[in-house]
Amino acid sequence: MTYYKRIHEFYIGIDLHARTMYICVINNRGDTVFHKNMECSTDNLELVTNTFGKDIVIGVECIFTWYWVSDFCAEHDIDFALGHAYYMKAIHGGKTKSDKIDSEKIANMLRGGMFPTAYAYPKEKRATRDLLRRRLFFVRQRAELSVHLQLTNHQYNINDPLTSSKMRSKVYRDTIPEKFSDPMTLKMVNADLYMFDAYHEIITKLESQIEESMAIQDPVSYAVINSIPGLGFILSLTILYEIGDIKRFQNEGKFISYCRLVKCSHESAGKKESGRHNKIGNVHLKWAFSEGAILFLRNNELGQRWHDRLVQRYGKARAMSMIAQKLARTVYNMLKRKEPFNAKQFYGLEKT
């Protein structure tokens, strides 16, 4: 956890919502000089910032509405601090809570150097990252429909496993309703297939548009990630854009923690607990490296032998987790050094 430590003449804490923002401004002596609820607009924010000059910082909590405030600060050369929502317990844990109190707490945390910061993703890459996340949401919705169709097959003892390769074929999908005779079941199956077709069309178009028309902003880093066996265009791009700038991670330990690929330990008075707070970090990177571990082993004889040894020693679940973690460590070091994948170094067949 990192804190905002810079010293300014004025500290602006904003309790931000979709339509309103409660703004609190305190000076470097801790005196409240402005405290008002206002409508969310760049004009109102500019009015406040112009009043207090350039030696200011604006802090908001990391909720879904922070993009426009970050962009405003970048355009006006104002320091911006994005508060880590989970760590801001001074706000969430208070006995009395209101927008007015919360904005004052944010301003005082900024002034006191106790404002826990999250990474404010840069504007130029943000839209592409969000598009890739939305595509992943559609993929998961399509997968749920495929699973439900498979369960319906099992309910009526239809021995026809619906593999992903089969479901990609429109010709095959059109044969699925023929297997069911009950009219109500047929309506349910047709509804699932209708939604599956819609999601499949959207996903296919998005992937085609991304691959054909999108200019990769960091082609060197993309080529480095894409050199790992099994990682295709979309998965490599997802990892690249979820990371953003690899330099923001001090070491590989912090990076794999951010990817949710390690279990956190908690110790107090000699007593240790494990398994808590494992959801702090980037869920999309956890998915990407977990998926990448599966694809990495396909048609990879050396990798499969390594996987089999891990399974014998640790079991299947832990073996896949270890491979995903190893891939994350490898990606971190590859991006730091701008070097492509080295199989001998990855498997420990040569000294690093």
Side-chain angles (χ1 to χ4, degrees):
M1 179 169 35
T2 57
Y3 297 95
Y4 188 85
K5 298 284 189 181
R6 294 180 185 174
I7 299 173
H8 297 273
E9 186 177 357
F10 294 99
Y11 302 85
I12 303 176
I14 302 178
D15 188 51
L16 190 63
H17 300 278
R19 296 181 178 86
T20 62
M21 54 182 179
Y22 216 115
I23 301 179
C24 177
V25 183
I26 63 174
N27 59 25
N28 52 17
R29 297 185 301 274
D31 303 321
T32 301
V33 294
F34 184 88
H35 213 174
K36 187 177 180 180
N37 194 24
M38 308 178 78
E39 182 182 347
C40 283
S41 72
T42 54
D43 290 340
N44 285 336
L45 194 54
E46 189 170 8
L47 178 65
V48 174
T49 56
N50 287 343
T51 303
F52 297 99
K54 289 292 184 180
D55 191 12
I56 59 176
V57 57
I58 295 178
V60 300
E61 189 175 359
C62 183
I63 61 171
F64 69 97
T65 53
W66 66 267
Y67 283 8
W68 71 273
V69 181
S70 174
D71 296 343
F72 173 89
C73 292
E75 291 170 6
H76 292 78
D77 196 25
I78 297 171
D79 276 13
F80 174 74
L82 183 64
H84 197 295
Y86 183 83
Y87 290 128
M88 296 181 71
K89 293 184 179 180
I91 290 177
H92 305 302
K95 184 176 182 180
T96 304
K97 188 179 186 302
S98 69
D99 296 346
K100 183 177 182 180
I101 293 173
D102 290 352
S103 62
E104 187 175 6
K105 286 182 178 179
I106 291 173
N108 278 294
M109 290 167 73
L110 283 169
R111 175 177 172 267
M114 292 301 294
F115 187 81
T117 57
Y119 180 61
Y121 202 91
K123 179 182 178 180
E124 59 273 12
K125 295 182 178 180
R126 207 164 52 209
T128 304
R129 182 199 64 173
D130 290 349
L131 177 61
L132 290 166
R133 288 182 175 183
R134 198 60 183 168
R135 173 204 162 270
L136 178 57
F137 170 80
F138 293 146
V139 168
R140 287 172 173 164
Q141 296 300 308
R142 183 182 64 178
E144 286 187 10
L145 292 165
S146 181
V147 169
H148 187 259
L149 288 167
Q150 181 68 73
L151 292 174
T152 307
N153 271 359
H154 291 321
Q155 286 174 334
Y156 291 90
N157 198 28
I158 297 172
N159 188 18
D160 184 14
L162 302 180
T163 61
S164 59
S165 58
K166 283 184 178 180
M167 290 300 291
R168 279 195 292 267
S169 169
K170 183 68 167 67
V171 174
Y172 174 77
R173 294 198 301 272
D174 289 341
T175 66
I176 293 177
E178 301 172 0
K179 304 169 187 176
F180 302 94
S181 56
D182 184 85
M184 294 297 105
T185 303
L186 188 59
K187 289 180 184 297
M188 179 178 67
V189 169
N190 283 331
D192 281 351
L193 287 170
Y194 179 83
M195 293 302 299
F196 188 98
D197 289 343
Y199 279 123
H200 187 71
E201 183 180 357
I202 291 171
I203 294 165
T204 303
K205 284 183 178 179
L206 279 178
E207 291 176 346
S208 177
Q209 290 167 355
I210 291 170
E211 192 163 0
E212 290 176 2
S213 62
M214 197 200 74
I216 300 172
Q217 292 171 327
D218 189 354
V220 175
S221 295
Y222 166 77
V224 166
I225 298 173
N226 194 236
S227 66
I228 297 176
L231 298 191
F233 176 78
I234 293 294
L235 197 56
S236 298
L237 209 61
T238 299
I239 294 173
L240 176 64
Y241 276 86
E242 288 298 336
I243 291 173
D245 183 5
I246 196 65
K247 294 177 182 177
R248 66 189 176 105
F249 302 101
Q250 296 177 9
N251 51 57
E252 63 181 34
K254 291 187 180 297
F255 175 65
I256 63 172
S257 176
Y258 179 73
C259 297
R260 297 190 183 184
L261 295 173
V262 292
K263 291 185 177 181
C264 308
S265 61
H266 291 254
E267 183 177 351
S268 179
K271 297 179 181 178
K272 291 184 178 181
E273 296 180 8
S274 61
R276 297 175 59 190
H277 309 309
N278 292 330
K279 291 186 177 181
I280 298 176
N282 190 311
V283 65
H284 304 285
L285 278 175
K286 179 177 175 60
W287 167 82
F289 283 116
S290 299
E291 188 76 10
I294 297 171
L295 298 173
F296 176 77
L297 296 176
R298 287 184 183 176
N299 305 316
N300 184 349
E301 185 178 348
L302 192 59
Q304 288 172 357
R305 290 204 301 267
W306 175 50
H307 167 260
D308 292 341
R309 293 196 300 271
L310 291 176
V311 170
Q312 290 178 359
R313 186 170 181 180
Y314 301 106
K316 283 188 177 181
R318 192 176 176 192
M320 293 306 298
S321 296
M322 293 174 71
I323 294 173
Q325 186 184 116
K326 182 69 177 289
L327 283 176
R329 290 181 184 274
T330 302
V331 165
Y332 175 85
N333 288 298
M334 286 165 56
L335 289 175
K336 278 283 192 179
R337 301 166 185 166
K338 300 297 182 183
E339 296 176 354
F341 180 76
N342 185 325
K344 291 184 178 180
Q345 186 174 333
F346 182 84
Y347 295 112
L349 301 178
E350 65 177 19
K351 292 183 179 180
T352 58

